[in-house]
Every structure is written in structure tokens, then in C-alpha cells.
């Protein structure tokens, strides 16, 4: 242990701690910009500099290790002056567009400028004047706003192993660019949006489509229908001043009606449906010697990853469409018929935790209903903005129920939002289908939590099934390399592109650290526990769907509407 | 097109090998084409974004074609005997530069090279790697006009 004095406060911290960590123990907040709690230290912004007694030069708190007897001043006049200069230099190269910036009031640089009372800037203003990159339907890059912290590069390379982003040039000309200096679309980017969570400023954002939504609700000829993904409810409250998990589902529904949606339905309904289709697909593959291990297919960032990096393993992917796309195909066929609504008038909006869903909805094959199955994808953050725009006071809103036929759901669908959830939901159903017995304990706890790769062997009345779960694409890569090498012991693998699963999706309220993801996961299982039905095959509306329309899992209609195929991306470079 | 992979592989096990490999390619091509960077990533088993990062980090490398036409004159024995010296003189006169120099507008550079394997048509010059055989002083202006 080292005894350190931070601003006169004495603390004892483990050897090798940084000044920043010691300051945290002392309860002193040192400002940072390039530092990210879940990433390796980069120490390139110098915002965190502090004064160490006996040393002439200021030290970066995020990287400087402490020693026994160290005396640190974190905001002496010298430190404050240095920090102001550093901020002024960054701001001299920054377009000060806060008013029209997507990160207005949620920006680390803006917050620092406010904290350090940056007013007149003595440095000459020199913004690079680079164009935005709008090449993908999911992600927008605004390189002028980049402060070169490299947090996105780390997220993309280390968490996701995609390596779409890198550095170009050096010194004053340095830039963060997609590989080979191309557009993001030409790079290996899978559109997961994890770089957005990493970015402290507005240099990487979602492709915001709020205006398209406003135009749709303003059009009297459109019947605007929405579906809400499983991971939204636990997080949407964070956008409107509530705690994680605090927003009651039916108050959320009422809020959506206030925004002008004509019908509010649930992706959870098609999540339950996915379990029936995918569970039966797994059983069929096991019985008939189909390609194993089978991979789940609900995460479009993961599908992009597989099509980009593992085109040789596309046959291992379940042919099930994601719940979003199953919903899209059904809402303009089954549901339209049941409601007596002309499908041509339906404008189908999905509310998703995910930026890659915007891409998925735009895939050319996703029009099995005879129309574009999903017309618009809004992320949780965009819906948060719409709620704030509409000035809704959720504490006063009367709860409202989901509309019929595609609104019912079970706890098994709810847990789709967390890593391991699809696996657990599938096991709840597969167990009962195979054994014909009632499952005593519904909780497959091995599947839960932030561990990168989770695995288990499940005994289905004598049949042993080995399963694995990976979240974050670097973990997916480990499991996939095993499969490619012919060494995978598993029958069934769940992959979610985003760390923590959809609750950490690229469209979710910004997570400054992984602890937020863990909090959302806890809220997901609380919701599951509280529901009367927790097995997908018990969903009453899914039963009606099979009775009246689909007739059987993997049947003719299912194949037409609910299943899909995959195409190698043939990217020129990886 | 040069076989980048073959060139790069020669430097695979050297310390700082990728930089040496880039030097070697740039010597041939006057810049680092995209394909060479992709090949370097494969040989050194690093992501393309990192191979690109190295290529743009050092100012001695260029990832953009400089718009420069590199004219090389073979000075091996067969071409020498066939009158390479007259061709050199004609090129120097036409471009107003000496061997080893680049024109002030950056458009042409003159360099010597070893036998390019076109000895059936001596003397030989190459422009950006494309060979021209049986060169005489009076053919020079027409050939250069293609690149102006
Ligand atoms: S990135 Fe931050 S500081 Fe820059 S314009 Fe946007 S809100 Fe303002
Ligand atoms: S969206 Fe995902 S894959 Fe694309 S650059 Fe960002 S982190 Fe990388
Ligand atoms: S894009 Fe954002 S995260 Fe990436 S280097 Fe720039 S400021 Fe940092
Ligand atoms: S936060 Fe320490 S140098 Fe950037």
C-alpha cells in the first residue's frame, strides 16, 4: 500500500494505483477526457494534469502511478491554469456548434468548458472543415468534432475486434478515420454503435431520424404502429430523469400514445415467437444432423460481423429473422388482416436499442410482407428526445395497455434484452417440448451476467446439449475461431454484438461505464420474475397466431415470413 | 502490378519490417498503393487500419499517387551498347532535368534502373513500370506527350 495525500486528504491505496484512482478514494474528482473506466489508459489529452510536490512538470493523473508519501494537488492555481490552456487549445480546433449538436447537454467537452469557465479563447480558431460521413444508414461521423481521444478506436478494436477505426497521419494532422481513410461503409464496420458509447463528444452518433417520424404522424393517411424491443423499458427512464428500470411498462406505452402512435405493440411478442421457431429449428438440426453449432440470429451487428468475417460459417446461423423483422413481416400481413387495416397504410416504426437495426430494416430482402416490413427504426435515445420534445410528465401519465394480437409477452421475451437471455428463454421452452415435463426452476442462472463467455451442459432428459453465450464481438470471435477450427464442443451458441447484450446496444442511453450495463441487466431479471407467464410457449397471442395463421413452427407460412438467408459481405479489406 | 506480397514477405522477420517493406514498395511505385497496404497487413498479421496508420504516420511515405511519372532508363550492358546514353541525353533535354531529378512541377522523375528483361528491344525505358522498347531520341517527345 502507498500513503498518498490528495488535496490535504490522506488516503492509503494499493501500490501501482494511479493518481486518478487515489483521488477517487479520497473523494476528489479530477477531470478527464481521454480516460474511460473500462479501457486501457491512453493519456493523450492532458486534461487530468495535477501538481505533484517536488516535481516541476505537471503529471497526468490517469496514467501517473502513486508512490508512498506522494503529495498531490489536483486544482492548484497552476493546475487550473494549465487545464484552461489545454481546453482552450482543444476548443480552438473544435466547431462550437453546441446548440445544434446531438450531444448538447450530454457532452464531456462541453461540460469541461463549463466547469473551467472558458470564455474568450486566446488561440486562433482553426476547424478542419471536414465533411460528415453519412455512408451507413446507422452511424454518422462528424470528424470535425473529434478530440482524438481514441476511445472509439479502443471500443471497436478491443471490445468488438472489428478494427474499423484507426489513426491517420500524426501531430497536427492526426485524425481518427475508418480503415484506409475510407467511408465507414467501405470499412469492416458492423454498425454496432459501440463507438458512440465510447465517444465523449458528438463526433460519432446515430443516424437520427426524428424528422421522418414527425412527418409520418403528421400524415393523416398513415396508420403509425410501433413495436418496442425488450431492452428499451429498463433504459428509457434514464432519458427522462428516472432511474434505470424505474419506468413502468404501461406508463411508457401511454407516453408513446402521446407521441402520436396509433397502435402500440411489442417486439416481445415476436421474441416469444422467435423462441418457438428457433427452438424447433435447433431440435430439428439436432435430430436430422443439421449444421451445428447453431448460432442465434437476433442481433444484426452480429449478423453483419458473421457475413463480414466468417462467411464460411453462415450455414450455422439460425435462419430465423430477428424479432424486429418477424414483427415487421407480420404486422403488414397477419395483424393488418385481423384488424381490417389496409397494409399499404401501415407505417411500421420500431423502437430499438440498436444502431445496426436501422441497417437491418433497410436490407433489400426485408420486404416479405409485400411492403417494406419495417419503415423506420428509432433508437432509445431518439425516443428519449421525442419525449422531451413533447414535454411529457411521466409521473402524471395514466397507464395504458398494449394493443391486441401482437402485444402480449412473457418473461422469456423480456430477458432477450440481456446477454444470455435468448439462451435462457430457449432452454425454458426446449426443455418442456423435449421432455414433456414442467420445468421446476425457470432460472438458468449460468446464462446471466457480464462474464464474456458463459457455457453449460444441459440435460434434456438424457439428451445432453452443450451451449455457450458470447457478448461483445471480441468474445464472439473466440467462439467462432473455435468453430472454424472444428474444435467447438457446442450445439447452440448465443451471440449478441454488444457488451451486456441489447441493454448495452449502440442506440441506448449513453453508458459512460459498464456498471450501467450491469444495472440494466438486474432490472431485466426483476421484470422477468414479476411476470405471471415466463415461458414463450405460454404466450396466449402467439398461440392464436399459430392456430389461425402460421399453423406450425417452421411451416410454410413461417418460412415465407419469418425466416431469411445470409449473404457474404465480400469486404475488400478487414 | 508488382507482387506486393512477395516484396513485403522479404521483410517479415526483420525488426521494423513493415517500414522497410514500405520503403521497398515506394521505391518501385513512388507511393504506397492501397493493395500494398492491404498486403502488408496480411503479411504482418495486423489489422488494415494499423497498416494504414503506419503508412500515414511517417511523412516519407505517401499513400496517394503523387501524380508523378517515374521514368526509368535501363543502364545494363545490352541497353548501354544499344545507345542508352543518347536516350538519356534526349530525356534530360526534353524535361530540362538531370538523371535523379524531378521536374519542378513534380510531374516527371528520371532514374536509372537495372535490366528490365526487355533486351529484345534495346534500348528500353519504363514509365511507371510500363516498358517502351527500341527507343530513339526522336521518339521521346511523342511518348512523353502521353503523360503530360
Ligand atoms: S461535441 Fe460537445 S462541445 Fe462539441 S459542439 Fe457538440 S456539444 Fe458542443
Ligand atoms: S459501429 Fe461498431 S464496428 Fe462500426 S466503427 Fe463503431 S464500434 Fe466499430
Ligand atoms: S471520434 Fe470520439 S471517441 Fe473517437 S477519437 Fe474522436 S472524440 Fe474520441
Ligand atoms: S484523461 Fe488523463 S490524459 Fe486524458
Amino acid at each position: 500500500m502507498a500513503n498518498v495525500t490528495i488535496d490535504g486528504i490522506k488516503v492509503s491505496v494499493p501500490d501501482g494505483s494511479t493518481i486518478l484512482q487515489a483521488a477517487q478514494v479520497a473523494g476528489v474528482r479530477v477531470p478527464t477526457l481521454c480516460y474511460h473506466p473500462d479501457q486501457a489508459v491512453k493519456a493523450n489529452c492532458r486534461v487530468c494534469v495535477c501538481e505533484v510536490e517536488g516535481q516541476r512538470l505537471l503529471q497526468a493523473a490517469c496514467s501517473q502511478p502513486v508512490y508512498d508519501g506522494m503529495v498531490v494537488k489536483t486544482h492548484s492555481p497552476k493546475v487550473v491554469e494549465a487545464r484552461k490552456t489545454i481546453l482552450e487549445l482543444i476548443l480552438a480546433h473544435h466547431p462550437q456548434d453546441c446548440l445544434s449538436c446531438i450531444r448538447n447537454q450530454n457532452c464531456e467537452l462541453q461540460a469541461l468548458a463549463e466547469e473551467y469557465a472558458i470564455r474568450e479563447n486566446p488561440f486562433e480558431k482553426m476547424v478542419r472543415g471536414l465533411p460528415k460521413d453519412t455512408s451507413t444508414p446507422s452511424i454518422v461521423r462528424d470528424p470535425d468534432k473529434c478530440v482524438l481521444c481514441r476511445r472509439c478506436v479502443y471500443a471497436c478494436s478491443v471490445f468488438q475486434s472489428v478494427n474499423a477505426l484507426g489513426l491517420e497521419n500524426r501531430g497536427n494532422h492526426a485524425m481518427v478515420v475508418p480503415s484506409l481513410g475510407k467511408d465507414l461503409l467501405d470499412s469492416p464496420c458492423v454498425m454496432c454503435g459501440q463507438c458512440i458509447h465510447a465517444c465523449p463528444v458528438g463526433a460519432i452518433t446515430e443516424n437520427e431520424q426524428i424528422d421522418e417520424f414527425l412527418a409520418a404522424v403528421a400524415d393523416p393517411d398513415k396508420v403509425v404502429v410501433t413495436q418496442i424491443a425488450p431492452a428499451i423499458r429498463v433504459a428509457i427512464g434514464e432519458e427522462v430523469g428516472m432511474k434505470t428500470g424505474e419506468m413502468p411498462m404501461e406508463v411508457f406505452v401511454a407516453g408513446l400514445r402521446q407521441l402520436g402512435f396509433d397502435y402500440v405493440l411489442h417486439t416481445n411478442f415476436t421474441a416469444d415467437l422467435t423462441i418457438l421457431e428457433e427452438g424447433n429449428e435447433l431440435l430439428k438440426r439436432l435430430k436430422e444432423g443439421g449444421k451445428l453449432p447453431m448460432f442465434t440470429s437476433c442481433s444484426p451487428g452480429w449478423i453483419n460481423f458473421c457475413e463480414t468475417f466468417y462467411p464460411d460459417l453462415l450455414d450455422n446461423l439460425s435462419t430465423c429473422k430477428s424479432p424486429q423483422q418477424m414483427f415487421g413481416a407480420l404486422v403488414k400481413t397477419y395483424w393488418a388482416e385481423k384488424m381490417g387495416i389496409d397494409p399499404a397504410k401501415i407505417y411500421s416504426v420500431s423502437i430499438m436499442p440498436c444502431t445496426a437495426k436501422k441497417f437491418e430494416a433497410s436490407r433489400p430482402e426485408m420486404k416479405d410482407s409485400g411492403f417494406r416490413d419495417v419503415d423506420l427504426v428509432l433508437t432509445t435515445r431518439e425516443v428519449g428526445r421525442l419525449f422531451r420534445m413533447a414535454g411529457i410528465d411521466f409521473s402524471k401519465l395514466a397507464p395504458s395497455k398494449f394493443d391486441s394480437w401482437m402485444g402480449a409477452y412473457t418473461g422469456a421475451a423480456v430477458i432477450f434484452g440481456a446477454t444470455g437471455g435468448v439462451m435462457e428463454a430457449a432452454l425454458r421452452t426446449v426443455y418442456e417440448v423435449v421432455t414433456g415435463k414442467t420445468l421446476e426452476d425457470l432460472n438458468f442462472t449460468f446464462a446471466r451476467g457480464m462474464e464474456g463467455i458463459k457455457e453449460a451442459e444441459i440435460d434434456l432428459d438424457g439428451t445432453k446439449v452443450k451451449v455457450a453465450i458470447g457478448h461483445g464481438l471480441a468474445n464472439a470471435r473466440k467462439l467462432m475461431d473455435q468453430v472454424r477450427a472444428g474444435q467447438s464442443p457446442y450445439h447452440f451458441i448465443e451471440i449478441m454484438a454488444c457488451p451486456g447484450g441489447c441493454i448495452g446496444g449502440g442506440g441506448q442511453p449513453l453508458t459512460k461505464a459498464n456498471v450501467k450495463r450491469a444495472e440494466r441487466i438486474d432490472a431485466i431479471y426483476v421484470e422477468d420474475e414479476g411476470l405471471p407467464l415466463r415461458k414463450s410457449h405460454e404466450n396466449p397471442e402467439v398461440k392464436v397466431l399459430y392456430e389461425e395463421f402460421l399453423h406450425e413452427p417452421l411451416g410454410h407460412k413461417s418460412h415465407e415470413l419469418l425466416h431469411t438467408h445470409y449473404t457474404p459481405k465480400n469486404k475488400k479489406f478487414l | 502490378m508488382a507482387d506486393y506480397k512477395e516484396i513485403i514477405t522479404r521483410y517479415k522477420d526483420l525488426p521494423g519490417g513493415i517500414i522497410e517493406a514500405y520503403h521497398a514498395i515506394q521505391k518501385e511505385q513512388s507511393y504506397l498503393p492501397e493493395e500494398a497496404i492491404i498486403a502488408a497487413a496480411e503479411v504482418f498479421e495486423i489489422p488494415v487500419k494499423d497498416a494504414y496508420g503506419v503508412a500515414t504516420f511517417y511523412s516519407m511515405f505517401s499513400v496517394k499517387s503523387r501524380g508523378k511519372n517515374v521514368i526509368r532508363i535501363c543502364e545494363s550492358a545490352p541497353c548501354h551498347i544499344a545507345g542508352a546514353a543518347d536516350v538519356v541525353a534526349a530525356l534530360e533535354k526534353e524535361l530540362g532535368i538531370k538523371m535523379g531529378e524531378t521536374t519542378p512541377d513534380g510531374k516527371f522523375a528520371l532514374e536509372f534502373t537495372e535490366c528490365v528483361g526487355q533486351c529484345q528491344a534495346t534500348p528500353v525505358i519504363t514509365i511507371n513500370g510500363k516498358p517502351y522498347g527500341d527507343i530513339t531520341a526522336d521518339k521521346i517527345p511523342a511518348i512523353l506527350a502521353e503523360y503530360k
Side-chain angles (χ1 to χ4, degrees):
Chain A
M1 298 294 274
N3 295 307
V4 185
T5 309
I6 310 274
D7 297 340
I9 303 163
K10 290 192 191 328
V11 289
S12 184
V13 293
D15 293 319
S17 302
T18 60
I19 295 177
L20 186 65
Q21 286 164 332
Q24 275 157 2
V25 174
V28 172
R29 194 174 59 83
V30 176
T32 57
L33 187 58
C34 68
Y35 172 80
H36 187 288
D38 304 317
Q39 299 187 358
V41 170
K42 294 164 214 66
N44 58 34
C45 76
R46 317 312 282 179
V47 164
C48 65
V49 286
C50 290
E51 204 176 339
V52 177
E53 217 174 81
Q55 294 190 23
R56 200 172 48 85
L57 294 177
L58 297 176
Q59 303 293 336
C62 68
S63 64
Q64 186 62 42
V66 296
Y67 51 79
D68 198 42
M70 191 187 232
V71 178
V72 182
K73 289 188 191 132
T74 74
H75 54 260
S76 65
K78 188 174 165 191
V79 167
V80 170
E81 194 195 319
R83 281 198 198 130
K84 269 176 137 3
T85 306
I86 289 160
L87 287 169
E88 282 161 359
L89 275 167
I90 296 172
L91 288 169
H93 293 94
H94 193 86
Q96 280 145 54
D97 290 342
C98 299
L99 281 182
S100 52
C101 182
I102 205 165
R103 292 292 291 267
N104 192 11
Q105 302 196 65
N106 193 3
C107 169
E108 294 183 32
L109 180 60
Q110 190 188 48
L112 287 167
E114 196 276 330
E115 273 170 28
Y116 282 82
I118 306 296
R119 307 284 179 241
E120 313 272 304
N121 194 334
F123 298 103
E124 191 195 343
K125 206 154 178 253
M126 270 191 320
V127 176
R128 281 165 289 196
L130 298 163
K132 287 191 184 180
D133 178 350
T134 55
S135 58
T136 78
S138 298
I139 313 278
V140 174
R141 289 179 56 253
D142 188 351
D144 270 349
K145 289 186 183 147
C146 176
V147 297
L148 295 169
C149 69
R150 305 181 199 177
R151 284 160 47 165
C152 58
V153 176
Y154 190 97
C156 187
S157 312
V158 180
F159 297 155
Q160 300 300 68
S161 74
V162 171
N163 292 305
L165 300 171
L167 244 29
E168 183 183 80
N169 306 330
R170 67 168 157 176
N172 281 337
H173 301 287
M175 285 201 293
V176 166
V177 292
S179 193
L180 283 177
K182 306 263 177 180
D183 281 347
L184 210 47
L185 191 65
D186 292 327
S187 83
C189 172
V190 301
M191 304 181 210
C192 66
Q194 289 308 307
C195 49
I196 301 175
H197 284 288
C199 186
V201 296
I204 307 187
T205 70
E206 68 276 20
N207 171 24
E208 187 183 65
Q209 294 177 289
I210 282 182
D211 288 345
E212 287 167 49
F213 168 75
L214 294 175
V217 287
D219 183 342
D221 284 337
K222 286 201 168 103
V223 179
V224 186
V225 179
T226 191
Q227 54 165 316
I228 318 165
I232 312 294
R233 187 202 63 82
V234 294
I236 185 72
E238 297 167 20
E239 288 284 323
V240 290
M242 289 176 164
K243 289 207 211 66
T244 298
E246 201 188 358
M247 172 79 84
M249 185 66 97
E250 293 185 344
V251 173
F252 181 24
V253 172
L256 292 171
R257 293 197 199 280
Q258 292 291 313
L259 293 183
F261 285 108
D262 297 309
Y263 293 93
V264 180
L265 300 169
H266 214 318
T267 317
N268 279 1
F269 168 81
T270 36
D272 279 330
L273 178 61
T274 299
I275 288 303
L276 290 178
E277 291 289 324
E278 199 164 288
N280 279 291
E281 184 185 358
L282 176 65
L283 292 175
K284 187 160 181 243
R285 287 187 190 219
L286 285 167
K287 203 156 61 200
E288 297 175 6
K291 261 267 192 290
L292 292 170
M294 185 175 90
F295 310 142
T296 58
S297 56
C298 356
S299 164
W302 149 240
I303 297 295
N304 286 345
F305 184 79
C306 206
E307 288 177 329
T308 303
F309 294 96
Y310 297 91
D312 48 320
L313 298 180
L314 293 180
D315 288 342
N316 293 65
L317 277 171
S318 160
T319 60
C320 286
K321 284 183 187 171
S322 71
Q324 158 172 290
Q325 294 306 138
M326 285 197 186
F327 182 100
L330 287 173
V331 83
K332 293 190 184 184
T333 52
Y334 167 72
W335 187 82
E337 205 182 299
K338 238 174 141 59
M339 299 293 289
I341 296 172
D342 176 2
K345 289 193 166 171
I346 295 178
Y347 188 78
S348 146
V349 181
S350 63
I351 299 174
M352 291 287 140
C354 181
T355 43
K357 289 277 174 202
K358 288 181 186 263
F359 168 79
E360 181 184 51
S362 76
R363 291 177 83 116
E365 65 272 24
M366 293 299 175
K367 49 175 178 35
D368 290 329
S369 63
F371 305 91
R372 177 101 332 249
D373 293 337
V374 173
D375 294 291
L376 180 67
V377 178
L378 295 176
T379 59
T380 320
R381 289 194 294 274
E382 289 167 88
V383 172
R385 275 171 224 138
L386 285 166
F387 278 155
R388 297 196 294 273
M389 193 186 282
I392 297 171
D393 180 350
F394 284 91
S395 69
K396 299 217 171 92
L397 212 51
S400 169
K401 286 200 184 320
F402 283 96
D403 290 294
S404 292
W405 307 121
M406 289 177 66
Y409 60 96
T410 72
V414 170
I415 59 176
F416 262 61
T419 163
V422 177
M423 178 61 69
E424 182 167 348
L427 291 175
R428 289 178 189 176
T429 288
V430 166
Y431 181 89
E432 296 205 346
V433 170
V434 171
T435 65
K437 294 182 195 159
T438 306
L439 193 57
E440 296 291 318
D441 182 3
L442 289 183
N443 303 316
F444 290 88
T445 45
F446 83 90
R448 302 181 182 181
M450 286 294 283
E451 189 69 43
I453 293 177
K454 297 164 275 190
E455 55 163 11
E457 188 177 78
I458 308 295
D459 188 346
L460 301 174
D461 236 7
T463 319
K464 298 232 157 74
V465 180
K466 286 206 89 168
V467 300
I469 297 156
H471 60 115
L473 291 169
N475 292 316
R477 188 179 283 280
K478 287 183 201 150
L479 290 166
M480 295 298 277
D481 284 342
Q482 236 185 359
V483 177
R484 188 178 261 168
Q487 288 162 356
S488 180
Y490 307 112
H491 300 101
F492 187 31
I493 299 179
E494 178 206 290
I495 305 279
M496 294 292 153
C498 295
C502 306
I503 51 89
Q508 289 281 64
L510 294 168
T511 49
K512 300 247 156 69
N514 277 341
V515 288
K516 180 50 88 185
R517 296 174 195 237
E519 229 180 278
R520 290 180 192 157
I521 290 176
D522 292 344
I524 286 265
Y525 291 106
V526 170
E527 186 174 346
D528 169 39
E529 288 280 348
L531 285 170
L533 298 177
R534 295 177 63 201
K535 293 176 252 179
S536 295
H537 53 286
E538 291 175 349
N539 182 321
E541 288 184 351
V542 169
K543 286 183 187 165
V544 174
L545 172 69
Y546 275 113
E547 273 158 29
E548 295 184 2
F549 189 72
L550 294 174
H551 307 305
E552 54 173 344
L554 309 181
H556 174 68
K557 267 253 156 60
S558 290
H559 268 285
E560 218 170 78
L561 293 173
L562 308 182
H563 290 258
T564 188
H565 57 274
Y566 309 101
T567 325
K569 293 251 194 251
N570 292 321
K571 291 264 180 178
K572 284 221 301 290
F573 55 92
L574 298 176
Chain B
M1 193 180 78
D3 185 350
Y4 299 122
K5 255 193 152 155
E6 196 225 292
I7 299 172
I8 295 162
T9 307
R10 287 182 226 150
Y11 302 91
K12 184 168 165 54
D13 299 317
L14 299 181
I18 189 165
I19 293 173
E20 296 303 320
Y22 280 164
H23 273 300
I25 287 168
Q26 192 153 290
K27 216 168 138 206
E28 299 259 323
Q29 297 281 305
S30 84
Y31 79 110
L32 298 176
E34 231 170 75
E35 295 75 23
I37 295 169
I38 294 170
E42 273 174 44
V43 171
F44 289 95
E45 294 174 37
I46 56 173
V48 173
K49 60 118 179 164
D50 290 331
Y52 179 73
V54 174
T56 57
F57 187 83
Y58 297 100
S59 54
M60 67 235 183
F61 299 133
S62 171
V63 295
K64 294 208 173 68
S65 162
R66 288 172 173 149
K68 183 166 94 174
N69 299 298
V70 181
I71 306 173
R72 294 196 171 90
I73 302 133
C74 174
E75 58 170 354
S76 295
C79 284
H80 187 78
I81 294 163
D86 292 346
V87 178
V88 168
L91 278 166
E92 286 182 340
K93 186 166 158 246
E94 186 67 27
L95 295 172
I97 52 170
K98 293 280 172 209
M99 289 305 292
E101 291 179 353
T102 302
T103 52
D105 63 3
K107 265 197 170 162
F108 292 96
L110 284 179
E111 291 174 6
F112 281 118
T113 179
E114 300 293 309
C115 177
V116 292
Q118 303 282 332
C119 307
Q120 77 286 359
T122 52
V124 180
I125 67 169
T126 65
I127 304 185
N128 303 334
K130 180 178 171 191
Y132 293 83
D134 293 321
I135 297 296
T136 53
D138 54 323
K139 285 188 186 165
I140 299 270
I143 293 173
L144 290 186
E146 288 176 43
Y147 295 88
K148 276 188 177 156

